[in-house]
């Protein structure tokens, strides 16, 4: 494979010598020819394309199967990646130029400048006394009752004044169990519910999430409201009311960076992205030797995090990862040191595997455009080339609390030990979990 790759590079780089351009000079976008490729192939997508990563990644993984060839192969691939006279470097340069051009164009055509789109906070909505401040959560939920009870109990235990739960597929026993608690506001999103809305039931669950979250935002009796999923848990370093009471008066919302839960038999541990921990991207290759170069900040789930927003503001729409003010993201959204969102996205292999098909087609792994390089591409590549063992190897390296991973994360200040003890919290707030 290496011989074919290097021979092919020598072939086309030799032809390039006659272009008159030096090998470290990327081509200009405007010089692109309209000619089609041989064998009726589509052209490689410069922005978002994953062919180069897949080619090198496959060689890197194949080499790992042989302890003799592995060091040589990885040495050569590192030389190839770092050489400024290869097609990989030229395409990266072209990609960077294109992304900057697109970003500049977007900023010029944006309806509202991010610097000026400040969601106005009425003085009456600023509460600085923690004892007088109430906060809550809102979620559109489609999950078994025990999972919902664990989610609700965790936030009730943290001091949530109200837990708004909208049931996407309501069942009588779930409604009865949740309605019995005075601090849970449960809504059945059945046909009658959607008939009463301005819009009918939306096909995409993401749109339904934003819709019910916005309804709750404008109707809640909470001073702050967090829009989170049933597999997400607020992880404050101190009482959340104390933290929110100290938020600046002009702050419309707090952004909570995600902490992805690791799979393991012991108390819950979470990992942070390199960006959140203030680490350079280069650490990802040390932490995740095989997949670090291909994962967005080392996560398999979202890296945007979620927000907890101050209520009572006008012209607000509560989206999945942002607060929209007058149809554009509000700019006065800030982080609070130490406040994270624990995400039990893949707490064990069975959960990861059972949710995979849905996430690939309708959930967080879906692709908005054919040329985007996403986690879905890694999964498809592994399933095609190695099957279930390849997918299991990914889960073990990236998602499992192995000694190597936890030690590497701790060394880079990217490990959180935050035991949840969910069943004990359920017992305190709801009694024993229902059987069956």
């Amino acid at each position: 494979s290496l011989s074919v790759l290097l021979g092919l590079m020598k072939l086309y780089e030799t032809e390039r010598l006659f272009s008159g351009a030096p090998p470290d000079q990327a081509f200009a976008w405007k010089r692109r020819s309209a000619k089609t490729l041989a064998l009726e192939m589509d052209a490689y997508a410069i922005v978002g394309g994953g062919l180069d990563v897949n080619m090198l990644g496959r060689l890197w993984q194949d080499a790992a199967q042989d302890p003799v060839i592995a060091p040589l192969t990885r040495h050569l691939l590192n030389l190839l990646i770092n050489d400024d006279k290869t097609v990989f470097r030229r395409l990266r340069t072209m990609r960077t130029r294109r992304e900057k051009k697109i970003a500049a164009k977007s900023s010029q055509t944006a309806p509202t400048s991010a610097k000026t789109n400040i969601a106005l906070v009425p003085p009456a909505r600023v509460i600085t006394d923690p004892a007088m401040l109430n906060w809550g959560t809102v979620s559109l939920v489609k999950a078994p009752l025990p999972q919902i009870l664990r989610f609700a109990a965790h936030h009730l235990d943290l001091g949530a004044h109200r837990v708004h739960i909208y049931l996407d597929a309501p069942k009588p026993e779930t409604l009865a169990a949740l309605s019995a608690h005075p601090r849970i506001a449960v809504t059945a999103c059945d046909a009658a519910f959607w008939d009463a809305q301005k819009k009918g039931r939306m096909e995409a669950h993401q749109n339904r999430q934003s819709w019910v979250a916005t309804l709750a935002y404008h109707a809640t009796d909470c001073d702050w409201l967090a829009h989170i999923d049933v597999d997400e848990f607020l992880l404050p370093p101190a009482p959340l009311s104390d933290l929110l009471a100290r938020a600046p008066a002009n702050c419309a919302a707090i952004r909570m960076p995600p902490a992805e839960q690791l799979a393991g038999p012991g108390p819950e541990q979470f990992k942070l992205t390199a960006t959140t921990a203030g680490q350079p991207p280069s650490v990802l290759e040390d932490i995740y030797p095989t997949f670090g170069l291909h994962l967005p900040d080392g996560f398999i789930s979202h890296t945007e995090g979620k927000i907890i927003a101050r209520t009572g503001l006008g012209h607000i729409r509560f989206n999945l990862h942002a607060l929209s003010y007058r149809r554009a993201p509000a700019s006065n959204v800030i982080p609070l040191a130490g406040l994270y969102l624990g995400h039990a996205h893949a707490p064990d292999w069975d959960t990861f595997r059972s949710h995979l098909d849905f996430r690939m087609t309708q959930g967080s792994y879906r692709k908005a455009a054919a040329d985007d390089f996403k986690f879905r591409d890694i999964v498809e590549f592994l399933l095609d080339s190695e099957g279930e063992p390849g997918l299991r190897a990914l889960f073990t390296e990236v998602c499992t609390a192995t000694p190597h991973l936890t030690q590497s994360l701790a060394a880079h200040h990217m490990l959180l030990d935050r035991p949840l003890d969910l069943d004990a919290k359920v017992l305190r707030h709801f009694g024993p979990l229902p059987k069956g």
Side-chain angles (χ1 to χ4, degrees):
S1 298
L2 276 173
S3 179
V4 171
L5 174 65
L6 297 175
L8 184 61
M9 289 183 64
K10 185 173 182 179
L11 188 68
Y12 70 70
E13 292 289 355
T14 299
E15 185 188 31
R16 178 184 169 82
L17 293 175
F18 295 91
S19 69
D24 58 351
Q25 177 181 321
F27 287 118
W29 281 86
K30 62 183 180 181
R31 293 178 57 187
R32 177 173 176 171
S33 169
K35 301 293 184 181
T36 57
L37 301 184
L39 303 180
E40 298 183 359
M41 290 188 293
D42 294 328
Y44 170 74
I46 306 296
V47 178
L51 179 61
D52 50 353
V53 174
N54 281 335
M55 287 175 60
L56 300 183
R58 176 66 179 270
L59 287 169
W60 189 280
Q61 290 180 327
D62 286 350
Q65 300 175 19
D66 188 305
V68 177
I69 195 67
L72 173 63
T73 302
R74 295 184 171 182
H75 175 67
L76 287 173
L77 289 176
N78 278 321
L79 290 177
L80 193 64
I81 293 169
N82 293 311
D83 197 309
D84 62 355
K85 299 179 178 64
T86 69
V87 66
F88 302 103
R89 178 63 63 87
R90 294 194 298 269
L91 289 176
R92 189 197 310 173
T93 301
M94 293 178 67
R95 182 182 296 123
T96 302
R97 290 176 182 173
R98 188 66 168 178
E99 289 172 344
K100 288 181 179 179
K101 186 175 181 179
I102 292 173
K105 185 176 181 180
S106 299
S107 64
Q108 293 171 1
T109 59
T112 308
S113 170
K115 293 183 179 180
T116 59
N117 193 35
I118 297 175
L120 299 179
V121 179
R125 304 305 303 177
V126 180
I127 300 175
T128 57
D129 183 357
M132 301 296 293
L133 188 149
N134 293 323
W135 63 269
T137 65
V138 56
S139 311
L140 178 70
V141 175
K142 186 178 181 180
L145 178 57
Q147 185 180 0
I148 302 175
L149 292 177
R150 291 184 176 103
F151 166 84
H154 172 78
H155 295 99
L156 293 171
D157 213 63
L158 285 179
H161 171 70
R162 192 76 61 217
V163 176
H164 295 275
I165 294 179
Y166 290 78
L167 296 174
D168 203 24
K171 295 181 179 180
E173 61 272 20
T174 303
L175 274 168
L178 296 174
S179 300
H181 199 287
R183 286 194 280 159
I184 295 181
V186 58
T187 302
C189 296
D190 51 17
F193 170 84
W194 289 110
D195 288 344
Q197 307 303 311
K198 292 181 181 179
K199 292 184 178 182
R201 187 178 187 274
M202 289 143 274
E203 184 68 23
H205 72 277
Q206 294 90 349
N207 293 335
R208 300 197 298 275
Q209 286 176 299
S210 294
W211 183 269
V212 301
T214 303
L215 286 179
Y217 176 88
H218 293 293
T220 188
D221 58 347
C222 296
D223 304 306
W224 291 80
L225 191 66
H227 182 193
I228 57 178
D229 291 334
V230 72
D231 62 351
E232 295 174 330
F233 302 88
L234 302 182
L235 301 176
L240 189 53
S241 294
D242 292 353
L243 300 177
L244 296 174
R246 296 199 295 267
N250 64 345
C251 167
I254 304 297
R255 179 167 299 283
M256 300 178 291
E260 203 170 74
Q261 184 177 339
L262 298 174
E268 289 83 0
Q269 292 179 296
F270 301 83
K271 66 178 183 178
L272 302 177
T273 66
T275 301
T276 299
Q279 298 290 335
S282 57
V283 305
L284 296 177
E285 191 175 353
D286 297 329
I287 298 172
Y288 316 104
T290 305
F291 299 99
L293 291 175
H294 314 313
L295 293 173
D297 227 341
F299 271 33
I300 67 169
S301 61
H302 68 78
T303 58
E304 301 94 331
K306 297 291 181 70
I307 59 172
I308 180 167
R310 198 191 298 268
T311 61
L313 281 58
H315 309 287
I316 290 294
R317 176 177 170 82
F318 214 162
N319 296 324
L320 270 68
H321 302 282
L323 190 73
S324 289
Y325 176 68
R326 297 186 183 275
R327 300 186 177 183
S331 57
N332 48 335
V333 178
I334 65 169
L336 281 182
L339 175 58
Y340 301 108
L341 181 73
H343 191 184
H345 179 78
D348 52 66
W349 166 256
D350 291 339
T351 299
F352 170 72
R353 195 64 185 90
S354 63
H355 287 77
L356 185 62
D357 291 341
F358 175 82
R359 287 169 174 167
M360 293 278 280
T361 56
Q362 302 178 54
S364 56
Y365 301 161
R366 74 194 189 284
K367 295 177 63 170
D371 59 351
D372 285 344
F373 184 72
K374 296 273 189 177
F375 180 66
R376 172 174 170 167
D377 295 291
I378 300 175
V379 172
E380 289 178 340
F381 170 74
L382 288 174
L383 289 175
D384 289 343
S385 61
E386 302 180 31
E388 290 291 315
L391 196 60
R392 194 67 185 250
L394 167 69
F395 185 83
T396 300
E397 178 177 303
V398 176
C399 306
T400 306
T402 61
H404 166 77
L405 181 54
T406 55
Q407 291 168 14
S408 298
L409 290 169
H412 294 93
H413 309 289
M414 295 167 61
L415 183 69
L416 288 180
D417 285 297
R418 298 287 179 89
L420 298 179
D421 202 10
L422 295 176
D423 287 353
K425 294 173 183 176
V426 171
L427 188 62
R428 280 197 293 272
H429 295 277
F430 297 102
L433 276 169
K435 297 182 182 298

